[in-house]
Amino acid sequence: MSTFSLAVEAAIAETRRDVAELHGELVRNNLIVWTGGNVSGRVPGADLFVIKPSGVSYDDLAPENMILCDLDGDVIPGTEGSDRSPSSDTAAHAYVYRHMPTVGGVVHTHSTFATAWAARGEEIPCVITAMADEFGGPIPVGPFAIIGDDSIGRGIVETLAGHRSRAVLMQNHGPFTIGVSARDAVKAAVMVEDVARTVHLAREAGPLIPIPQEAIDRLFDRYQNVYGQSEDERR
Ligand SMILES: O=C(CO)[C@@H](O)[C@@H](O)COP(=O)(O)O
């Protein structure tokens, strides 16, 4: 017997569909291997989110095997998918949702170039306009944190709170991204890997040229408020 209103049930079903589909974007953009990485989405109008099951092949992910959790990261018993264990990073995603109320989606990958920067504990400097547009400056590094409790989530929040970047490189681990929706967080995961690769290759060939802060501010403002269409979700 459902304990949610019809409206919440509809929102849960839509979030399941979105999150299941968005895992395919991690594969299509070569951001993960095997069962690594994960995507979650907040359920609009409810203190709930949906996340993938742990260690399940991306080929087998579907709306009905996504896992519904409360904002403490506890699986809602008796709901679709609740017979399986949720992602290893469920506690981290839940921590972000509890402490960043405007975040609608969280993504984690081990994408190659971004994870290489994380292995060095080095932030990605803002030396290309694409970074100014999408991240509003450098992409910061979060602390080394062992999976399994709130430490990763706390590291994400403490690093990104008040920061323009929607991506954080968790030291020795890899990128976590946030967004106003799960799709927005997936876009940030795609873009952080793209800029990590570009800046890595640029630095291999010679010294990087910083972009003046005033230009970064103008580029970020334009991209957030002018680029695209007025109905875009980030507006
Ligand atoms: O990063 C790690 C392990 O270090 C995992 O969170 C990630 O690769 C995917 O794990 P899940 O399949 O979501 O449990």
Side-chain angles (χ1 to χ4, degrees):
M1 177 66 179
S2 169
T3 58
F4 303 118
S5 70
L6 288 177
V8 170
E9 285 291 358
I12 292 169
E14 184 174 1
T15 306
R16 284 179 179 273
R17 289 191 297 272
D18 287 348
V19 171
E21 180 190 344
L22 285 167
H23 278 89
E25 289 299 332
L26 303 192
V27 177
R28 274 188 286 278
N29 287 278
N30 298 309
L31 300 181
I32 57 95
V33 293
W34 207 242
T35 63
N38 36 69
V39 177
S40 72
R42 190 194 294 268
V43 176
D47 289 337
L48 300 166
F49 68 96
V50 168
I51 195 164
K52 90 177 200 347
S54 182
V56 173
S57 168
Y58 277 70
D59 292 339
D60 298 332
L61 296 180
E64 60 271 17
N65 62 32
M66 294 294 108
I67 299 183
L68 183 66
C69 299
D70 64 23
L71 297 192
D72 290 324
D74 296 324
V75 176
I76 306 299
T79 57
E80 280 188 308
S82 61
D83 56 314
R84 284 174 157 173
S85 300
S87 166
S88 320
D89 291 308
T90 298
H93 290 233
Y95 190 97
V96 172
Y97 289 126
R98 290 198 304 275
H99 292 85
M100 303 183 89
T102 62
V103 170
V106 181
V107 172
H108 168 49
T109 78
H110 298 158
S111 61
T112 304
F113 284 86
T115 303
W117 286 87
R120 297 193 304 273
E122 188 178 356
E123 79 172 16
I124 305 175
C126 187
V127 292
I128 51 179
T129 58
M131 285 190 67
D133 289 346
E134 188 67 36
F135 300 104
I139 295 172
V141 173
F144 176 66
I146 298 282
I147 195 167
D149 58 20
D150 278 348
S151 54
I152 292 180
R154 190 178 308 112
I156 295 167
V157 171
E158 289 175 356
T159 306
L160 291 184
H163 203 292
R164 281 171 170 171
S165 177
R166 298 190 342 278
V168 54
L169 308 174
M170 293 302 283
Q171 185 185 305
N172 302 111
H173 189 171
F176 282 78
T177 62
I178 59 175
V180 295
S181 67
R183 176 167 296 277
D184 190 39
V186 167
K187 178 189 177 188
V190 172
M191 299 296 275
V192 69
E193 177 62 10
D194 183 56
V195 302
R197 177 189 302 108
T198 301
V199 178
H200 168 84
L201 294 175
R203 191 166 69 171
E204 291 283 287
L208 300 171
I209 303 171
I211 299 175
Q213 186 58 50
E214 182 272 336
I216 293 174
D217 296 344
R218 284 175 55 197
L219 287 162
F220 184 68
D221 180 67
R222 187 201 74 85
Y223 192 76
Q224 302 306 314
N225 300 302
V226 177
Y227 176 79
Q229 303 304 320
S230 57
E231 63 268 21
D232 290 353
E233 61 184 354
R234 295 247 313 272
R235 286 289 182 80

